[in-house]
Amino acid sequence: MIATTGLAYRYAGGTEIRFPDVAVPQGGVLLLQGPSGAGKSTWLALAAALLRPAAGHITVAAQDLAALGKVAGDAWRARAVGFLPQKLHLSDALTVAGNLAMAQWAAGAAEDAVAIHDALEALGLADLATRRPSQLSGGQAQRVALARAVLLRPRIILADEPTASLDDDAARAALGLLQASAARCGATLVIATHDSRVAAGLPVAAVCRLGAKIAATAP
Ligand code: ADP
Ligand code: MG
């Protein structure tokens, strides 16, 4: 599950974002909606414990993230969070399988070739395991990033604008794969998007609508 109360974040420049309270049960789909600049990516960074709230609480899978220090936050993220960023950050120095092995290594997990094969297979990527990311289509690269995100069976999957720049068919396919991947690990799925096609394409448990930011002034 994910629940927030009174959640707010303040950037060093003075921009303060206050988020509406939201709750979604474990395994549900949460949509984070709002125009560009509303704070969707900031919310995802808070849910990944990459940022700490300026006020309020965010609880993910029974863990209050505001209570975590940096080291505990990093360990928690490696164990519990699957992140599908807007920029995929795949390394072209490595093969597709190598990128997944790197994710296991970075999380302190043992290298597990069977888990890598299974994750690639589930996303129709088994034949591409020895390619470099630059030899993939955009959709294939996104599926590799999704395979990497779910490799360690996270409790939550955070996807930042996963349908941006996809046509209708590709967007539908991407959402279906996200949902199936989340269901396979029992993960709660959070999709941040300003794409109105997303709400129509998914069984959404909760919607968090972010508006214009509250304050952009220096303290
Ligand atoms: P969204 O993902 O909805 O487009 P963001 O979470 O990226 O919105 O940004 C929310 C607000 O915070 C914007 O006004 C943005 O300019 C500001 N912001 C984002 N990142 C930073 C940063 N590193 N430093 C200062 N302000 C930032
Ligand atoms: Mg964003």
Side-chain angles (χ1 to χ4, degrees):
M1 53 76 91
I2 302 177
T4 71
T5 50
L7 186 66
Y9 187 75
R10 173 182 284 255
Y11 281 104
T15 300
E16 182 175 283
I17 309 166
R18 293 180 205 162
F19 299 99
D21 292 352
V22 67
V24 59
Q26 186 64 36
V29 177
L30 169 63
L31 269 197
L32 274 185
Q33 290 179 329
S36 185
K40 301 181 297 296
S41 295
T42 303
W43 195 103
L44 294 181
L46 289 163
L50 286 162
L51 301 175
R52 293 294 178 282
H57 290 276
I58 178 164
T59 304
V60 176
Q63 174 67 55
D64 180 355
L65 302 187
L68 293 177
K70 173 156 174 19
V71 172
D74 290 348
W76 177 84
R77 184 181 325 109
R79 213 173 50 242
V81 180
F83 205 90
L84 183 62
Q86 204 171 352
K87 285 190 183 148
L88 302 178
H89 296 299
L90 296 170
S91 171
D92 215 45
L94 299 168
T95 63
V96 163
N99 271 272
L100 270 62
M102 174 67 94
Q104 291 172 333
W105 177 83
E111 185 167 336
D112 182 344
V114 173
I116 291 172
H117 177 80
D118 289 350
L120 292 175
E121 180 95 67
L123 289 161
L125 295 164
D127 294 343
L128 304 179
T130 59
R131 293 245 191 122
R132 303 278 163 167
S134 62
Q135 299 170 316
L136 303 174
S137 73
Q140 289 169 337
Q142 190 185 45
R143 279 188 279 146
V144 171
L146 178 58
R148 181 181 59 182
V150 297
L151 186 58
L152 294 162
R153 305 187 70 79
R155 304 309 296 148
I156 57 168
I157 297 172
L158 306 172
D160 202 352
E161 307 279 6
T163 60
S165 75
L166 298 183
D167 65 31
D168 286 357
D169 285 345
R172 220 181 343 264
L175 292 172
L177 288 173
L178 265 169
Q179 196 197 342
S181 299
R184 223 171 5 252
C185 18
T188 306
L189 174 61
V190 183
I191 300 182
T193 186
H194 65 271
D195 181 347
S196 55
R197 296 175 300 180
V198 174
L202 283 177
V204 173
V207 176
C208 182
R209 282 193 187 79
L210 308 185
K213 59 185 179 280
I214 303 289
T217 50

mmCIF file with all atom_site columns, all heavy atoms in Angstrom, residues 51-65:
data_model
loop_
_atom_site.group_PDB
_atom_site.id
_atom_site.type_symbol
_atom_site.label_atom_id
_atom_site.label_alt_id
_atom_site.label_comp_id
_atom_site.label_asym_id
_atom_site.label_entity_id
_atom_site.label_seq_id
_atom_site.pdbx_PDB_ins_code
_atom_site.Cartn_x
_atom_site.Cartn_y
_atom_site.Cartn_z
_atom_site.occupancy
_atom_site.B_iso_or_equiv
_atom_site.pdbx_formal_charge
_atom_site.auth_seq_id
_atom_site.auth_comp_id
_atom_site.auth_asym_id
_atom_site.auth_atom_id
_atom_site.pdbx_PDB_model_num
ATOM 1   N N   . LEU A 1 51 ? 14.196 11.568 -2.220 1.00 0.00 ? 51 LEU A N   1
ATOM 2   C CA  . LEU A 1 51 ? 14.041 12.856 -1.534 1.00 0.00 ? 51 LEU A CA  1
ATOM 3   C C   . LEU A 1 51 ? 13.314 12.594 -0.218 1.00 0.00 ? 51 LEU A C   1
ATOM 4   O O   . LEU A 1 51 ? 12.562 11.621 -0.106 1.00 0.00 ? 51 LEU A O   1
ATOM 5   C CB  . LEU A 1 51 ? 13.206 13.833 -2.378 1.00 0.00 ? 51 LEU A CB  1
ATOM 6   C CG  . LEU A 1 51 ? 13.728 14.190 -3.765 1.00 0.00 ? 51 LEU A CG  1
ATOM 7   C CD1 . LEU A 1 51 ? 12.709 15.080 -4.491 1.00 0.00 ? 51 LEU A CD1 1
ATOM 8   C CD2 . LEU A 1 51 ? 15.090 14.870 -3.682 1.00 0.00 ? 51 LEU A CD2 1
ATOM 9   N N   . ARG A 1 52 ? 13.530 13.473 0.785  1.00 0.00 ? 52 ARG A N   1
ATOM 10  C CA  . ARG A 1 52 ? 12.802 13.378 2.050  1.00 0.00 ? 52 ARG A CA  1
ATOM 11  C C   . ARG A 1 52 ? 11.791 14.506 2.118  1.00 0.00 ? 52 ARG A C   1
ATOM 12  O O   . ARG A 1 52 ? 12.097 15.646 1.732  1.00 0.00 ? 52 ARG A O   1
ATOM 13  C CB  . ARG A 1 52 ? 13.757 13.514 3.237  1.00 0.00 ? 52 ARG A CB  1
ATOM 14  C CG  . ARG A 1 52 ? 14.736 12.371 3.405  1.00 0.00 ? 52 ARG A CG  1
ATOM 15  C CD  . ARG A 1 52 ? 14.053 11.055 3.748  1.00 0.00 ? 52 ARG A CD  1
ATOM 16  N NE  . ARG A 1 52 ? 15.013 9.960  3.857  1.00 0.00 ? 52 ARG A NE  1
ATOM 17  C CZ  . ARG A 1 52 ? 15.563 9.320  2.819  1.00 0.00 ? 52 ARG A CZ  1
ATOM 18  N NH1 . ARG A 1 52 ? 15.237 9.652  1.589  1.00 0.00 ? 52 ARG A NH1 1
ATOM 19  N NH2 . ARG A 1 52 ? 16.420 8.348  3.005  1.00 0.00 ? 52 ARG A NH2 1
ATOM 20  N N   . PRO A 1 53 ? 10.583 14.247 2.636  1.00 0.00 ? 53 PRO A N   1
ATOM 21  C CA  . PRO A 1 53 ? 9.560  15.291 2.704  1.00 0.00 ? 53 PRO A CA  1
ATOM 22  C C   . PRO A 1 53 ? 9.998  16.470 3.581  1.00 0.00 ? 53 PRO A C   1
ATOM 23  O O   . PRO A 1 53 ? 10.714 16.276 4.567  1.00 0.00 ? 53 PRO A O   1
ATOM 24  C CB  . PRO A 1 53 ? 8.359  14.590 3.340  1.00 0.00 ? 53 PRO A CB  1
ATOM 25  C CG  . PRO A 1 53 ? 8.673  13.156 3.407  1.00 0.00 ? 53 PRO A CG  1
ATOM 26  C CD  . PRO A 1 53 ? 10.136 12.962 3.172  1.00 0.00 ? 53 PRO A CD  1
ATOM 27  N N   . ALA A 1 54 ? 9.545  17.668 3.196  1.00 0.00 ? 54 ALA A N   1
ATOM 28  C CA  . ALA A 1 54 ? 9.724  18.834 4.065  1.00 0.00 ? 54 ALA A CA  1
ATOM 29  C C   . ALA A 1 54 ? 8.685  18.803 5.175  1.00 0.00 ? 54 ALA A C   1
ATOM 30  O O   . ALA A 1 54 ? 8.906  19.322 6.270  1.00 0.00 ? 54 ALA A O   1
ATOM 31  C CB  . ALA A 1 54 ? 9.580  20.114 3.248  1.00 0.00 ? 54 ALA A CB  1
ATOM 32  N N   . ALA A 1 55 ? 7.544  18.183 4.890  1.00 0.00 ? 55 ALA A N   1
ATOM 33  C CA  . ALA A 1 55 ? 6.474  18.042 5.874  1.00 0.00 ? 55 ALA A CA  1
ATOM 34  C C   . ALA A 1 55 ? 5.645  16.824 5.505  1.00 0.00 ? 55 ALA A C   1
ATOM 35  O O   . ALA A 1 55 ? 5.639  16.391 4.354  1.00 0.00 ? 55 ALA A O   1
ATOM 36  C CB  . ALA A 1 55 ? 5.591  19.292 5.886  1.00 0.00 ? 55 ALA A CB  1
ATOM 37  N N   . GLY A 1 56 ? 4.965  16.260 6.512  1.00 0.00 ? 56 GLY A N   1
ATOM 38  C CA  . GLY A 1 56 ? 4.047  15.167 6.262  1.00 0.00 ? 56 GLY A CA  1
ATOM 39  C C   . GLY A 1 56 ? 4.748  13.821 6.167  1.00 0.00 ? 56 GLY A C   1
ATOM 40  O O   . GLY A 1 56 ? 5.938  13.694 6.452  1.00 0.00 ? 56 GLY A O   1
ATOM 41  N N   . HIS A 1 57 ? 3.966  12.836 5.773  1.00 0.00 ? 57 HIS A N   1
ATOM 42  C CA  . HIS A 1 57 ? 4.453  11.453 5.753  1.00 0.00 ? 57 HIS A CA  1
ATOM 43  C C   . HIS A 1 57 ? 4.070  10.764 4.457  1.00 0.00 ? 57 HIS A C   1
ATOM 44  O O   . HIS A 1 57 ? 3.012  11.019 3.897  1.00 0.00 ? 57 HIS A O   1
ATOM 45  C CB  . HIS A 1 57 ? 3.871  10.668 6.930  1.00 0.00 ? 57 HIS A CB  1
ATOM 46  C CG  . HIS A 1 57 ? 4.437  11.119 8.237  1.00 0.00 ? 57 HIS A CG  1
ATOM 47  N ND1 . HIS A 1 57 ? 5.629  10.648 8.741  1.00 0.00 ? 57 HIS A ND1 1
ATOM 48  C CD2 . HIS A 1 57 ? 3.996  12.037 9.119  1.00 0.00 ? 57 HIS A CD2 1
ATOM 49  C CE1 . HIS A 1 57 ? 5.889  11.244 9.882  1.00 0.00 ? 57 HIS A CE1 1
ATOM 50  N NE2 . HIS A 1 57 ? 4.908  12.102 10.146 1.00 0.00 ? 57 HIS A NE2 1
ATOM 51  N N   . ILE A 1 58 ? 4.958  9.873  4.041  1.00 0.00 ? 58 ILE A N   1
ATOM 52  C CA  . ILE A 1 58 ? 4.622  8.953  2.956  1.00 0.00 ? 58 ILE A CA  1
ATOM 53  C C   . ILE A 1 58 ? 5.016  7.562  3.412  1.00 0.00 ? 58 ILE A C   1
ATOM 54  O O   . ILE A 1 58 ? 6.159  7.325  3.806  1.00 0.00 ? 58 ILE A O   1
ATOM 55  C CB  . ILE A 1 58 ? 5.260  9.359  1.609  1.00 0.00 ? 58 ILE A CB  1
ATOM 56  C CG1 . ILE A 1 58 ? 4.921  8.330  0.525  1.00 0.00 ? 58 ILE A CG1 1
ATOM 57  C CG2 . ILE A 1 58 ? 6.771  9.586  1.729  1.00 0.00 ? 58 ILE A CG2 1
ATOM 58  C CD1 . ILE A 1 58 ? 5.184  8.833  -0.904 1.00 0.00 ? 58 ILE A CD1 1
ATOM 59  N N   . THR A 1 59 ? 4.025  6.684  3.429  1.00 0.00 ? 59 THR A N   1
ATOM 60  C CA  . THR A 1 59 ? 4.224  5.314  3.897  1.00 0.00 ? 59 THR A CA  1
ATOM 61  C C   . THR A 1 59 ? 4.043  4.372  2.716  1.00 0.00 ? 59 THR A C   1
ATOM 62  O O   . THR A 1 59 ? 3.025  4.431  2.022  1.00 0.00 ? 59 THR A O   1
ATOM 63  C CB  . THR A 1 59 ? 3.197  4.969  4.996  1.00 0.00 ? 59 THR A CB  1
ATOM 64  O OG1 . THR A 1 59 ? 3.329  5.941  6.046  1.00 0.00 ? 59 THR A OG1 1
ATOM 65  C CG2 . THR A 1 59 ? 3.457  3.586  5.577  1.00 0.00 ? 59 THR A CG2 1
ATOM 66  N N   . VAL A 1 60 ? 5.045  3.554  2.481  1.00 0.00 ? 60 VAL A N   1
ATOM 67  C CA  . VAL A 1 60 ? 5.010  2.622  1.360  1.00 0.00 ? 60 VAL A CA  1
ATOM 68  C C   . VAL A 1 60 ? 5.260  1.228  1.901  1.00 0.00 ? 60 VAL A C   1
ATOM 69  O O   . VAL A 1 60 ? 6.292  1.000  2.555  1.00 0.00 ? 60 VAL A O   1
ATOM 70  C CB  . VAL A 1 60 ? 6.079  2.977  0.302  1.00 0.00 ? 60 VAL A CB  1
ATOM 71  C CG1 . VAL A 1 60 ? 6.092  1.937  -0.806 1.00 0.00 ? 60 VAL A CG1 1
ATOM 72  C CG2 . VAL A 1 60 ? 5.832  4.364  -0.273 1.00 0.00 ? 60 VAL A CG2 1
ATOM 73  N N   . ALA A 1 61 ? 4.322  0.313  1.657  1.00 0.00 ? 61 ALA A N   1
ATOM 74  C CA  . ALA A 1 61 ? 4.447  -1.066 2.140  1.00 0.00 ? 61 ALA A CA  1
ATOM 75  C C   . ALA A 1 61 ? 4.843  -1.074 3.617  1.00 0.00 ? 61 ALA A C   1
ATOM 76  O O   . ALA A 1 61 ? 5.805  -1.728 4.020  1.00 0.00 ? 61 ALA A O   1
ATOM 77  C CB  . ALA A 1 61 ? 5.446  -1.856 1.284  1.00 0.00 ? 61 ALA A CB  1
ATOM 78  N N   . ALA A 1 62 ? 4.132  -0.296 4.425  1.00 0.00 ? 62 ALA A N   1
ATOM 79  C CA  . ALA A 1 62 ? 4.270  -0.237 5.893  1.00 0.00 ? 62 ALA A CA  1
ATOM 80  C C   . ALA A 1 62 ? 5.548  0.462  6.367  1.00 0.00 ? 62 ALA A C   1
ATOM 81  O O   . ALA A 1 62 ? 5.819  0.508  7.556  1.00 0.00 ? 62 ALA A O   1
ATOM 82  C CB  . ALA A 1 62 ? 4.162  -1.626 6.527  1.00 0.00 ? 62 ALA A CB  1
ATOM 83  N N   . GLN A 1 63 ? 6.327  1.016  5.451  1.00 0.00 ? 63 GLN A N   1
ATOM 84  C CA  . GLN A 1 63 ? 7.543  1.732  5.847  1.00 0.00 ? 63 GLN A CA  1
ATOM 85  C C   . GLN A 1 63 ? 7.306  3.245  5.730  1.00 0.00 ? 63 GLN A C   1
ATOM 86  O O   . GLN A 1 63 ? 6.963  3.736  4.645  1.00 0.00 ? 63 GLN A O   1
ATOM 87  C CB  . GLN A 1 63 ? 8.704  1.319  4.927  1.00 0.00 ? 63 GLN A CB  1
ATOM 88  C CG  . GLN A 1 63 ? 9.988  2.089  5.150  1.00 0.00 ? 63 GLN A CG  1
ATOM 89  C CD  . GLN A 1 63 ? 10.632 1.812  6.499  1.00 0.00 ? 63 GLN A CD  1
ATOM 90  O OE1 . GLN A 1 63 ? 10.896 0.666  6.850  1.00 0.00 ? 63 GLN A OE1 1
ATOM 91  N NE2 . GLN A 1 63 ? 10.854 2.867  7.276  1.00 0.00 ? 63 GLN A NE2 1
ATOM 92  N N   . ASP A 1 64 ? 7.477  3.965  6.854  1.00 0.00 ? 64 ASP A N   1
ATOM 93  C CA  . ASP A 1 64 ? 7.398  5.436  6.830  1.00 0.00 ? 64 ASP A CA  1
ATOM 94  C C   . ASP A 1 64 ? 8.720  5.966  6.272  1.00 0.00 ? 64 ASP A C   1
ATOM 95  O O   . ASP A 1 64 ? 9.762  5.866  6.925  1.00 0.00 ? 64 ASP A O   1
ATOM 96  C CB  . ASP A 1 64 ? 7.150  5.972  8.238  1.00 0.00 ? 64 ASP A CB  1
ATOM 97  C CG  . ASP A 1 64 ? 7.057  7.504  8.263  1.00 0.00 ? 64 ASP A CG  1
ATOM 98  O OD1 . ASP A 1 64 ? 7.271  8.149  7.210  1.00 0.00 ? 64 ASP A OD1 1
ATOM 99  O OD2 . ASP A 1 64 ? 6.770  8.048  9.346  1.00 0.00 ? 64 ASP A OD2 1
ATOM 100 N N   . LEU A 1 65 ? 8.689  6.519  5.083  1.00 0.00 ? 65 LEU A N   1
ATOM 101 C CA  . LEU A 1 65 ? 9.935  6.880  4.397  1.00 0.00 ? 65 LEU A CA  1
ATOM 102 C C   . LEU A 1 65 ? 10.616 8.089  5.033  1.00 0.00 ? 65 LEU A C   1
ATOM 103 O O   . LEU A 1 65 ? 11.832 8.250  4.921  1.00 0.00 ? 65 LEU A O   1
ATOM 104 C CB  . LEU A 1 65 ? 9.664  7.144  2.915  1.00 0.00 ? 65 LEU A CB  1
ATOM 105 C CG  . LEU A 1 65 ? 9.036  5.976  2.153  1.00 0.00 ? 65 LEU A CG  1
ATOM 106 C CD1 . LEU A 1 65 ? 8.983  6.298  0.666  1.00 0.00 ? 65 LEU A CD1 1
ATOM 107 C CD2 . LEU A 1 65 ? 9.800  4.686  2.390  1.00 0.00 ? 65 LEU A CD2 1
#
